Amino acid sequence: RTLAALIACAAVGACGGDSPTALIIAPTRDPIVFVHGLGGSAADWNPVITRLKADGWTDREIVVSTYSSVVSNATIAADIRDRVDSVRAATGAGKVDLVTFSMGGVSSRYYIKNLGGEGKVDAWVSVAGPNHGTETANHCPATPCIEIRPGSTFLAALNAGDETPGSVRYATWWSPCDQTIIPNSSVVLSGAQNTETACLPHTGIFTETIYQQVRAFIAP
C-alpha cells in the first residue's frame, strides 16, 4: 500500500496485515540521544529538553537515560549503543544526534569508535568533556574516573589515530573558567568544530547561548 493509504487505514484500525503498531513514519529530523556526566542523571537534561520541545522536538525524538557512575565508560557505551538502536527502530530514523555533557563525551566517543556508532550518528556534541583527561579525576578511585585521568590507558586508546573518525559531524564547547576539566583544552578534538565559550563554570556551561549554538549545529 501507499504511505497515504497506510496512514488512512491506521487511523481507523483497518489496515489488516499492516497494523497500526507496525506503521513507522520516519522523523523529519534526527532523534537526539542525551548522555549525562559522571554522577549525573537523566534529570540534568530537563532544562535543555524543555527548550527543544518548545522548538518543536517531540518525545519520540528525545532519548534520555541515567547511567551508572561506577562502571567503565565501555559499559556505558554499550548502553548508549542499545538506546541508539532502540530509537532508530522505533522511529525509522537512519541516524541520531548525540548530545553529551562532561564524561558523557568520552563514553559516547567509545561507542562511535568501537561499537559500530560511526554509521548511526549524524552529529556528536561534547560540552565540557574531558576528551584528553582531567586532573580532577586523579582524586577519584572509581573506574570511570581512572579512565579519564590524563594519560590513562583508556584515553590513549580512544584518542589513538583519528580523534574524530568516520563521517560523523563533531563539535565541542569548552570554557576557559571550567574548574572541573583541567586543563580546559582537554575538551578540544582534532577534526572537530571547537568553540570556546564565555567564562562559565562547569555545571553552568549550558547557557541559552550554548543551547542555540548546539541546536543550530545538530539541526542545520
Side-chain angles (χ1 to χ4, degrees):
R1 302 183 187 187
T2 65
L3 179 58
L6 280 171
I7 293 173
C9 70
V12 295
C15 289
D18 300 310
S19 66
T21 56
L23 178 62
I24 297 176
I25 302 173
T28 56
R29 56 189 151 238
D30 297 331
I32 303 174
V33 177
F34 290 94
V35 188
H36 62 73
L38 182 68
S41 72
D44 296 344
W45 292 110
N46 286 348
V48 177
I49 290 172
T50 297
R51 291 167 175 171
L52 281 171
K53 288 184 176 180
D55 285 340
W57 270 260
T58 63
D59 286 334
R60 73 192 294 262
E61 297 172 315
I62 296 171
V63 176
V64 57
S65 304
T66 298
Y67 304 91
S68 172
S69 294
V70 297
V71 300
S72 169
N73 280 283
T75 301
I76 298 172
D79 198 342
I80 295 171
R81 176 198 59 202
D82 294 345
R83 297 189 187 283
V84 168
D85 288 346
S86 178
V87 72
R88 289 176 65 240
T91 63
K95 295 185 178 183
V96 303
D97 295 327
L98 287 176
V99 176
T100 75
F101 173 68
S102 198
M103 194 183 75
V106 174
S107 53
S108 58
R109 286 180 61 213
Y110 187 96
Y111 158 67
I112 292 173
K113 182 173 184 176
N114 299 305
L115 300 181
E118 280 189 27
K120 300 175 183 179
V121 177
D122 174 26
W124 173 88
V125 169
S126 172
V127 178
N131 292 308
H132 295 95
T134 175
E135 294 175 9
T136 57
N138 293 333
H139 309 292
C140 170
T143 296
C145 294
I146 294 172
E147 293 173 343
I148 60 171
R149 291 174 181 174
S152 73
T153 301
F154 184 90
L155 286 178
L158 183 63
N159 293 322
D162 188 355
E163 292 189 340
T164 52
S167 59
V168 179
R169 297 182 296 116
Y170 294 85
T172 76
W173 277 260
W174 64 279
S175 168
C177 299
D178 192 331
Q179 294 299 304
T180 298
I181 307 302
I182 301 174
N184 305 143
S185 59
S186 172
V187 183
V188 175
L189 287 175
S190 177
Q193 173 184 300
N194 301 294
T195 301
E196 179 179 355
T197 74
C199 183
L200 299 168
H202 186 70
T203 56
I205 193 171
F206 225 119
T207 62
E208 179 64 24
T209 296
I210 305 306
Y211 166 75
Q212 295 292 344
Q213 292 174 352
V214 168
R215 189 193 66 178
F217 178 77
I218 62 176

